[in-house]
Amino acid sequence: MDKKPTVAEKTVVQEPSILHESVIAPLVSYPIEVVVPKARQQTPAVGQRATRLDGRLHGLGQTGYIDDITFPGMLYAKIKRAGVASARIRSIDTSEAEAMPGVMAVVTGKDVPCNSFGPSLKDQPVLAYERVFHAGDGVAAVAAVTEQIAAEALEKIKIDYEVLTPVLDPLESLKLETPGVHAPSANIYQSKVIKKGDIEKGFAASDHIVEGTFRTQMVEHVPLEPHATIAMWDANGRVTIHSTLGRITLGRADVARTLAIPISRIRIVATIVGGNFGGKNEITTEPVLALLSKKSGRPVKSVFTRPDEFIASTTRHPLIMDYKTGVTKDGRIQARKIRLILDGGAYCSWSETTLGKACILSAGPYNIDNLYAEAHVVYTNKTMTGAMRGFGAPQVCFAYESHMDDIAHLLKMDPLDIRLINAFNEGSLSPTGQTLQSVVVKESLLRAAERFGWHSNGKGSTNGGTNGGAKLLEKENVNGNTVRV
Amino acid sequence: MRAFDLYVAKDSRDAVMLLAKHSATSKVKVIAGGTDLLADLKFSAHSPNVVVDISRADELKSITVTDGGLRIGALVTHSQIMKSPVIQQMFPALVDAAHTIGAVQTRNLGTLGGNLVTAVPSMDSGPTLMALEAIASIQGPGGRREVPLTDFFLGPRKTILKADEILAEIIIPKQNLGKPTHFLKFGLRKGQALALVNVGASFWVDAKKNTFVAPRIGLGAVAPKVIHAPQAEAYLEGREITPEAMAEAGRIAATDAKPISDFRASAGYRKNLVAVLTKRALEGAYALAQAKR
Amino acid sequence: MVTVTININGENRTATVPPETTLLRALRDNFNLPGSKLGCDVGDCGACTVIVDGKPINSCLMLAAQADGRKVLTIEGLASMNGVHPLQRAFEDCASLQCGFCGPGVIMSAKALIDENPDPTIPQIRDALGGNLCRCTGYVKMIEAIQIAARVMRGETAEVNR
């Protein structure tokens, strides 16, 4: 790649614009000539400044995201959310909405040819039919000539619910007597167990047993650009879908399944995505929009509102993590027992991947000969949890590192030392038996400790680390704090 | 957002006339900076039929010192407060309070009047103005009336404003000009956070006896409206200024506070915050008093 | 319906819109200026930031009617046929934007800051970006770019590249 974009060799002209009088325009070409790198050109990446090809259009505000795209005759769709966590739908009356001037199409769960999808388990309805499993479930959708009319039409849709008691606590959900969220299926819908050595023997050989429970909360990706879709059903029975979807191949299969049409009739155009972070890895309203387009014969667009984004798109799994570790008095881990309960929310989504990764990584980067880790993901009547940056790794990292600190505190050891004693070496075996290569845990820890002055308060002090951390925080406050608390 | 009719008031009198005219037959809302109102209306099914825009009433946009005290127009934005040399010099606490509201963009839009009229208990303008015994000047069809800010708030999102009235000015009475005041806010983040607790404290110092004179403490987010801490104020009146007295006043203020538990914080945590923040706000005001001497 | 005339990027433009139309919607839908983005629609994210009469504001929290007769600068008004604004150049060179959705808002906030304060400190830059959320970058490269652009605009360096 060339180092710099082409520099226009011409005299600098004073900006004529009244808006930034004093500024002389820098010498860059405009309109844009994007430098296209030669295919597979090897560039030294490490230590180099990474300029992005799309950087200029981003800065100019000219990147066309999906909401910047319109088609002639395009309608705007809105989805009515259930607003109740668990309910039976007795009836849906859309007649008043349909009669509104400007409303061009209304669909409900009964209009969906195959009302289930999902990246692994096909347990998620496109629109709720007979049952509501969480408050963000779509129950009806309207396409109208303006967004305003669509929103007003939603208010005219009457739904009669028999409200049921929701299952909200994952630990309640675990119990056999708790009614299944998706009865007759059990609430535990996936599990994983990792065994290594003999934990009972390990605990017996330990001087101390340390236990702790750690919980993390639900986290939303909050992409700055909300989920959005434009669907156009054409006269030949083919549908073109513009979408913020990140995984279009998978999405195409899900759309084919839910619409019950051959995959060859579906074209998905992935638009430039304004932030994904794992939250745009599966379809959301694509089939609904396709159906609205089919019914109305016009292109239909929908953009999630920010509240939609929070309740109707996937989130990060909250975890309840029980840790029990046996250590010798000099800080060597003899055995560790872990139980992870993942709150899966109403649908499976990417729980399988998250469960697996959380379980495999739950012991931390430490050599532990005797290990037992089990992980279970359960349904609750909450917003579904799915893929998000790290797939369960950040949650268990919080737990095992907090747990290591607790152990160090109990043993009155430096939290750095206990990690150095137990950390993986070159060739260590992972909990699942993989031989690890290029292991630099200890080197990284030591380098980091040196960089932020870990030992400046005296090696071996149990609060040496806390003091070092506090120092960093203080600096942060001087820089950015506006509130003098 | 649901459809509504919009009427643009030329000035405050016009605004009051428009309100009188439409409030008889319609559900009317007033828009100034719009930061609270529009955010509310976007996701609400209960919309007004009529909105009266008072943002062009230029006579409500000035900050002046008169015989009556410091008068701040209701349409003065939070940014304007932060940049006002008069306020910077007399009441840095008001600058601090304005700085904790929203972010640059919302501070450029949002007005002092709007922050008060919305009457959210966690409002950041309230505690300092309460501690300075500010007066609300209300404009109605018959002219102006003045009420102490303590009586202006009735409860969450409720004020004494009648349907045909607007808040016109906030007056800090003459006797409090330059009174050492300090504002503190505790939120879950540095930026764009609602207060878990916010505190404004002010008092004069009797230089000879080194005692508290006319101590006033305003507390936000710990009751249905912004409140005074009467017991803590009574405790401090005439007492010698010591760290212990300030700490004790904090503990008493915590009993004056009647917080609720919600998803941001528990009532107990808020009470602890009141104790600590009150003490620190008193310390801050004292430091300012000494710096001025 | 209300008819509004707004000076947008130096040009007087008129549109007739429903009264409840926000400035953001008017810019995007009526004036065909989609550079300002709708992120949250309640003034939290700052993706809709534009400069009205010299001050950065959330265009989702201002009615189009309230902008009648005012001067509005959007991201589209920052570059001209002669070149891009130093901020845009610096943001490009520092790779300050990843997905880019927050970019127009961030750049407008930065532009308003430098106009008012040609030599901002890092805390001042952070404060000025307090109303702009970015989920990709962590802001570090943005702060760097704003410092570089400020240097260019002060005439201390002609070269945006470090």
Side-chain angles (χ1 to χ4, degrees), chain A residues 4 15-16 19-20 26 28 30 49-50 52 56 58-59 65 67-68 147-148 220-222 274 306 479, chain C residues 20 25 28 37 39 78 80 82 84 88-89 92-95 97-101 123 135 144 161-162:
Chain A
K4 268 184 283 178
E15 282 279 310
L19 297 156
H20 36 98
V28 293
Y30 185 85
R49 194 164 197 87
R52 296 177 59 100
R56 186 170 309 168
H58 282 350
Y65 300 90
D67 196 20
D68 306 332
E147 222 177 320
Q148 180 120 348
E220 158 62 23
H221 310 77
V222 198
R306 193 51 61 179
N479 279 340
Chain C
E20 67 275 10
R25 294 280 186 181
R28 291 179 57 82
K37 302 298 176 203
L78 225 48
S80 74
N82 295 321
V84 302
Q88 293 171 316
R89 177 71 199 269
E92 177 188 341
D93 280 359
C94 296
L97 299 172
Q98 289 176 26
C99 88
F101 203 80
R135 293 287 283 169
E144 193 183 313
N161 273 324
R162 285 187 305 184

Side-chain angles (χ1 to χ4, degrees), chain B residues 173-188:
Chain B
K174 199 179 179 184
Q175 73 271 15
N176 284 345
L177 293 190
K179 189 172 179 181
T181 310
H182 198 72
F183 171 81
L184 287 175
K185 165 179 175 173
F186 192 88
L188 292 177

Side-chain angles (χ1 to χ4, degrees), chain B residues 203-206 209-213 239-243 245-246 286:
Chain B
F203 56 88
W204 295 105
V205 177
D206 183 321
K209 293 188 273 183
N210 196 39
T211 53
F212 292 96
V213 177
R239 193 171 290 271
E240 195 192 338
I241 300 171
T242 60
M246 295 187 200
Y286 187 50

Side-chain angles (χ1 to χ4, degrees), chain A residues 3-5 7 10 13-31 49-52 54-56 58-65 67-69 76 78 147-148 219-226 272-277 301 303-307 388-389 476 478-480 482, chain C residues 7-10 20 25 28-29 34-42 45-47 71-73 75-86 88-95 97-104 107 111 115 122-124 126-127 133-136 141 144 148 152-153 158-162:
Chain A
K3 256 191 271 160
K4 268 184 283 178
V7 174
K10 58 181 175 186
V13 183
Q14 181 76 36
E15 282 279 310
S17 166
I18 50 160
L19 297 156
H20 36 98
E21 301 86 351
S22 58
V23 177
I24 295 169
L27 294 163
V28 293
S29 61
Y30 185 85
R49 194 164 197 87
T51 304
R52 296 177 59 100
D54 54 4
R56 186 170 309 168
H58 282 350
L60 288 166
Q62 288 183 3
T63 301
Y65 300 90
D67 196 20
D68 306 332
I69 300 169
Y76 298 85
K78 288 268 178 192
E147 222 177 320
Q148 180 120 348
V219 180
E220 158 62 23
H221 310 77
V222 198
L224 260 264
E225 178 206 36
I272 292 172
V273 176
N276 178 334
F277 318 115
K301 180 199 269 190
V303 180
F304 270 19
T305 61
R306 193 51 61 179
M388 184 170 181
R389 285 280 163 100
E476 169 75 6
V478 173
N479 279 340
T482 52
Chain C
N7 184 291
I8 303 171
N9 302 333
E20 67 275 10
R25 294 280 186 181
R28 291 179 57 82
D29 301 343
S36 310
K37 302 298 176 203
L38 190 151
C40 70
D41 217 9
V42 292
C45 78
K71 247 178 160 180
V72 176
L73 179 66
I75 188 76
E76 288 93 342
L78 225 48
S80 74
M81 285 309 285
N82 295 321
V84 302
H85 190 275
Q88 293 171 316
R89 177 71 199 269
F91 268 63
E92 177 188 341
D93 280 359
C94 296
L97 299 172
Q98 289 176 26
C99 88
F101 203 80
C102 69
I107 291 175
K111 149 90 171 127
D115 283 353
I122 290 176
Q124 285 167 337
R126 285 179 170 216
D127 194 48
L133 300 186
C134 169
R135 293 287 283 169
C136 303
K141 295 278 173 189
E144 193 183 313
I148 291 169
V152 173
M153 290 167 75
E159 189 59 41
V160 173
N161 273 324
R162 285 187 305 184

Side-chain angles (χ1 to χ4, degrees), chain B residues 27 32 46 49 78 125 202 220 233 255 270:
Chain B
K27 205 182 154 199
H46 314 286
N49 327 80
H78 306 301
S125 306
S202 78
E233 290 170 1
T255 63
R270 282 196 164 99

